[in-house]
Amino acid sequence: MDTMQIRKVVIEAIADVAPEADVDGLDSDVDIAEELDLDSMDSLNVFATISEELDVDIPEREYGQLRTLDQLVSYLEQKVA
Amino acid sequence: MTGATSTGIKAPTVDVVLLPPRGQGDWELLSEDERSRAGTLGNVDVRERYVHARAGLRRVLAAATGRPAENLEFTYGPHGKPALADGGLRFSVAHDGPMAVVVLGDVEVGVDAQRRVTRDVSRIVRRFSPAEQAQIEDSADPAEEFTIRWVCKEAVLKAIGSGLSVPLSNVEVTRQNGRLVVDASAIDDRPWSVVVGRLASGHYVGVAIAADRPVVRWRSRPAA
């Protein structure tokens, strides 16, 4: 799976919890939860969706380091490689 | 902060304070660090709520400690849990939309607030323990039962200071004879109690206290 495909899965997972947000226009280096006003339940849903869609385990202790699109995509690239 | 019980033993007492709507002078109460933090928040709603919650927290702590709100200093745990720099009073703050609530006491406390869920939470429920999943599924109102368990779990995780950096199943909240019972022994060996209040706004407020059978006082204004 290439970077664009991973990014698409991430974007769709975010769009699921923030259907009215301009997720495609989200800057790659902003804190997603803060920018889109996601609460912790939304954030957990995003991680859970990505885990299931990509069949990767994202340990909870990593969540705090995965706050931007760039951080998420580059982390997932390593996991699915 | 203690309350007399029928046995004469002082039970730990915690106060739950609902913050009033954003008022004048909020910004002036914040420290330089808090103003810088507010400045990094690009979403205007998120920024305004941060300022409101921090100023409100300072007012509540000032009323409880007798110290000027603007002079209070905070330290932060590894996952962002705030504490007063000189220790003493324990507290936790939560907000959901414009609603914000502070809990304070002499033992460790945590609070979370959430409206009854309407979103799809099936992926999250699968991360609950089998006993929790069964109780939610079998309840007359699964959405409400889920919301109650969620605010309790979050409140305990905030009190412990880990937040969602540990699996949700590490804090199990079950009903035993109608009473909510917490088992967090996988990550913390203190006894935990949880209390849930339902507000007129529709929010469920979960309060976690590191004590057996604490006294919980619901207040709408800062305790004097």
Side-chain angles (χ1 to χ4, degrees):
Chain A
M1 182 171 275
D2 65 23
T3 303
M4 290 305 291
Q5 290 170 306
I6 292 172
R7 192 180 174 88
K8 184 165 179 284
V9 169
V10 172
I11 294 279
E12 285 176 357
I14 298 167
D16 271 355
V17 300
E20 292 168 13
D22 176 19
V23 181
D24 287 324
L26 197 61
D27 287 340
S28 294
D29 60 350
V30 300
D31 185 303
I32 299 164
E34 287 177 358
E35 187 67 18
L36 299 183
D37 196 8
L38 306 185
D39 63 16
S40 54
M41 196 186 294
D42 288 329
S43 297
L44 186 57
N45 248 330
V46 170
F47 285 118
T49 302
I50 293 170
S51 287
E52 289 186 17
E53 292 294 320
L54 297 180
D55 195 23
V56 295
D57 177 41
I58 309 175
E60 283 83 353
R61 63 178 180 277
E62 313 272 14
Y63 289 177
Q65 310 303 316
L66 304 174
R67 305 200 59 86
T68 71
L69 270 179
D70 278 349
Q71 287 168 349
L72 264 167
V73 172
S74 95
Y75 174 84
L76 293 166
E77 278 179 319
Q78 315 256 337
K79 296 285 272 190
V80 300
Chain B
M1 246 185 250
T2 53
T5 68
S6 57
T7 59
I9 298 170
K10 300 285 189 184
T13 300
V14 300
D15 286 313
V16 184
V17 183
L18 306 180
L19 298 185
R22 186 172 180 189
Q24 296 283 320
D26 280 357
W27 182 257
E28 287 70 23
L29 290 184
L30 302 192
S31 66
E32 283 304 314
D33 285 355
E34 288 166 331
R35 292 180 191 185
S36 298
R37 168 82 180 120
T40 66
L41 299 171
N43 183 310
V44 175
D45 291 339
V46 173
R47 184 165 65 239
E48 288 192 353
R49 288 206 298 271
Y50 172 80
V51 172
H52 168 230
R54 294 305 296 206
L57 172 64
R58 283 179 172 274
R59 289 192 180 98
V60 171
L61 293 176
T65 62
R67 292 158 53 191
E70 61 273 27
N71 291 354
L72 296 168
E73 291 182 21
F74 298 103
T75 57
Y76 296 90
H79 299 286
K81 179 179 170 60
L84 282 169
D86 54 3
L89 198 62
R90 310 301 175 91
F91 63 91
S92 180
V93 58
H95 54 82
D96 182 56
M99 176 272 182
V101 59
V102 174
V103 172
L104 61 166
D106 290 332
V107 294
E108 203 58 81
V109 289
V111 62
D112 190 54
Q114 184 75 237
R115 286 182 195 276
R116 175 196 172 90
V117 292
T118 54
R119 61 192 117 178
D120 177 6
V121 294
S122 54
R123 287 188 171 93
I124 295 176
V125 173
R126 288 201 285 273
R127 296 175 173 225
F128 284 19
S129 76
E132 289 172 321
Q133 291 186 43
Q135 288 191 351
I136 291 169
E137 194 176 316
D138 292 345
S139 76
D141 187 344
E144 178 178 66
E145 264 315 292
F146 170 84
T147 307
I148 289 170
R149 309 301 171 106
W150 173 268
V151 295
C152 289
K153 282 170 177 278
E154 280 265 284
V156 174
L157 291 171
K158 285 174 73 172
I160 290 172
S162 67
L164 288 176
S165 68
V166 299
L168 276 179
S169 56
N170 281 354
V171 176
E172 184 181 63
V173 181
T174 52
R175 278 193 193 277
Q176 295 177 20
N177 299 319
R179 190 168 152 253
L180 291 165
V181 176
V182 178
D183 179 358
S185 56
I187 51 172
D188 192 280
D189 58 9
R190 287 170 287 188
W192 288 98
S193 301
V194 288
V195 173
V196 177
R198 189 176 170 191
L199 308 182
S201 60
H203 286 94
Y204 292 79
V205 176
V207 181
I209 309 104
D212 277 327
R213 301 189 179 276
V215 176
V216 178
R217 301 185 295 199
W218 295 77
R219 298 174 181 276
S220 58
R221 292 176 179 281

